Amino acid sequence: MQFGRLLVFIFALVLSALMTLLVRSYVRKRGIVDMPDEARKFHRGPTPLWGGLAVWLALLVTGFIAWRFGLLTDVKISNTQLAGITVGSLLLVIGGMWDDAKGLKPWRQFLFPVAAVCVSLMAGIGVHYITNPFVAGTGPYGRALLYISPMFGSVVAGIWLLGMTYTTKLLDGLDGLVAGVGVIGAVILFIVSLYWDVPLSGTSYFALMVAGACLGFLIYNIYPASIFLGEGGSTLIGYLLGVLAIISGAKIATALLIMGIPILDVVWIIARRVFFEKTSVASADRKHLHFRLLDAGLTERQAVWVLWGLTAFFGTSSLFLQSQQKVIALLVLGVVMALLAVIVVIKIKKSA
């Protein structure tokens, strides 16, 4: 069955690459492109959007085949949950495509992620316990598990999924950045599933499907990109990573280490806009970390590799850490983010 996992990964990768070519050709003819008409847009010319549709179609076809062979459902993933994930992800893609084509107002954009999260929760995607990192217990690997009520677990899962969805949405500013983070995150969560879930678990196949679909798209999205994820794709990848973190045994701490840098960046951006600048949270600017790296003198390719490297380093570290050590790693991550911000600001001031 190890060959089965490899086959699922390769099939998703190849299908995503083919779907990307088809979608790119279609949207070019329809004129659904992103124009480099703002200071925060660096591409050289009109670039097709709707890349998220290609990723979603690849996942849909690969997932259906894997489901028919009984590879996706087990004690952790039910048919109802799979249906909820499918519908939730479709809502994100449809909303994103509509936004790319028509330019929706922020409150209308927000409706689709909320609907996607609600569908997921109704399908049974929820957090059922929290690991206490400071107390030894009798749970898996000697951890103390604090079981929580279904209602509270749904609230936690809802906030988590919405946060992950918007993290990758706001991160999507450089060629290949979000798609690459999707590959790294899905591979790490796949490895987690090998020693946490039941043998031959559905989550391991699911994670490889996501990794393969993101990698197939990344072929055309890496700098210089010939197609962009669009709103539907950027939100889709965060949503899928968030779902994987939950169904892979509530590995939210692992996902926090994977997505730590962009999450901290988003938190700071929101706090700055609300408390200091008194502007809308939905407003766009060039003050995200990935833009600041460019202002500090890095090329777009270099900035992406720096952020990929940090994602891979902290994400991989979670594979070797116990719960208490992950808390320490999260604190270290915060320090790294702060130091990186200081270095970038100093570099920008020197070059000004």
Side-chain angles (χ1 to χ4, degrees), residues 214-264:
C214 288
L215 185 57
F217 175 78
L218 185 60
I219 295 171
Y220 305 98
N221 183 236
I222 198 169
Y223 180 86
S226 63
I227 184 171
F228 292 154
L229 280 168
E231 290 296 309
S234 62
T235 54
L236 173 67
I237 290 177
Y239 168 79
L240 291 173
L241 291 177
V243 167
L244 273 170
I246 292 175
I247 63 178
S248 294
K251 306 304 291 182
I252 291 178
T254 297
L256 280 173
L257 284 170
I258 296 170
M259 299 294 293
I261 294 293
I263 287 174
L264 289 172

Side-chain angles (χ1 to χ4, degrees), residues 14-15 20 30 56 69 77 80 99 102 173 178 211 242 258 260 322:
V14 173
L15 190 57
T20 301
R30 293 288 302 273
W56 186 83
F69 281 93
I77 315 179
T80 302
D99 186 29
K102 301 297 182 180
V178 169
I258 296 170
Q322 299 300 320

Side-chain angles (χ1 to χ4, degrees), residues 28-337:
R28 273 179 178 167
K29 294 176 182 177
R30 293 288 302 273
I32 304 171
V33 296
D34 190 23
M35 302 295 293
D37 54 2
E38 298 178 21
R40 60 194 184 89
K41 296 183 178 182
F42 310 100
H43 46 291
R44 300 173 184 176
T47 304
L49 296 164
W50 287 13
L53 176 62
V55 175
W56 186 83
L57 288 172
L59 288 170
L60 179 68
V61 175
T62 307
F64 178 76
I65 295 172
W67 174 77
R68 290 290 294 173
F69 281 93
L71 301 178
L72 286 184
T73 53
D74 57 25
V75 296
K76 287 188 175 291
I77 315 179
S78 66
N79 286 326
T80 302
Q81 289 173 325
L82 282 177
I85 296 168
T86 303
V87 174
S89 60
L90 176 60
L91 288 170
L92 289 172
V93 173
I94 290 175
M97 291 168 60
W98 189 8
D99 186 29
D100 290 335
K102 301 297 182 180
L104 301 179
K105 293 182 178 180
W107 71 267
R108 287 186 175 177
Q109 297 173 9
F110 186 65
L111 294 177
F112 291 93
V114 169
V117 169
C118 288
V119 168
S120 304
L121 298 180
M122 288 187 291
I125 304 294
V127 176
H128 305 298
Y129 58 83
I130 299 173
T131 302
N132 187 336
F134 304 105
V135 178
T138 57
Y141 302 98
R143 294 180 295 185
L145 304 182
L146 303 176
Y147 290 89
I148 57 181
S149 69
M151 181 175 292
F152 182 66
S154 294
V155 172
V156 172
I159 294 173
W160 168 250
L161 290 176
L162 202 58
M164 287 291 284
T165 298
Y166 268 86
T167 294
T168 48
K169 169 184 166 66
L170 296 173
L171 181 66
D172 190 25
L174 302 179
D175 291 358
L177 180 55
V178 169
V181 167
V183 175
I184 295 167
V187 168
I188 291 171
L189 289 169
F190 159 70
I191 296 172
V192 167
S193 72
L194 294 181
Y195 64 81
W196 171 250
D197 287 345
V198 296
L200 301 177
S201 67
T203 55
S204 64
Y205 286 98
F206 191 177
L208 285 179
M209 282 169 41
V210 174
C214 288
L215 185 57
F217 175 78
L218 185 60
I219 295 171
Y220 305 98
N221 183 236
I222 198 169
Y223 180 86
S226 63
I227 184 171
F228 292 154
L229 280 168
E231 290 296 309
S234 62
T235 54
L236 173 67
I237 290 177
Y239 168 79
L240 291 173
L241 291 177
V243 167
L244 273 170
I246 292 175
I247 63 178
S248 294
K251 306 304 291 182
I252 291 178
T254 297
L256 280 173
L257 284 170
I258 296 170
M259 299 294 293
I261 294 293
I263 287 174
L264 289 172
D265 182 44
V266 168
V267 170
W268 165 243
I269 290 292
I270 292 174
R272 175 175 55 78
R273 291 175 183 172
V274 171
F275 298 108
F276 298 100
E277 298 177 353
K278 309 296 183 182
T279 59
S280 170
V281 173
S283 60
D285 57 34
R286 276 181 51 94
K287 296 181 180 179
H288 285 281
L289 177 61
H290 47 275
F291 292 133
R292 299 301 242 171
L293 290 174
L294 298 182
D295 293 338
L298 270 64
T299 65
E300 186 170 348
R301 194 190 300 270
Q302 289 170 337
V304 169
W305 277 100
V306 166
L307 294 172
W308 280 354
L310 289 170
T311 299
F313 175 78
F314 282 101
T316 303
S317 71
S318 69
L319 301 175
F320 308 99
L321 302 176
Q322 299 300 320
S323 296
Q324 187 171 353
Q325 295 169 324
K326 287 180 182 178
V327 174
I328 297 173
L330 287 169
L331 294 175
V332 172
L333 179 64
V335 172
V336 170
M337 178 65 176

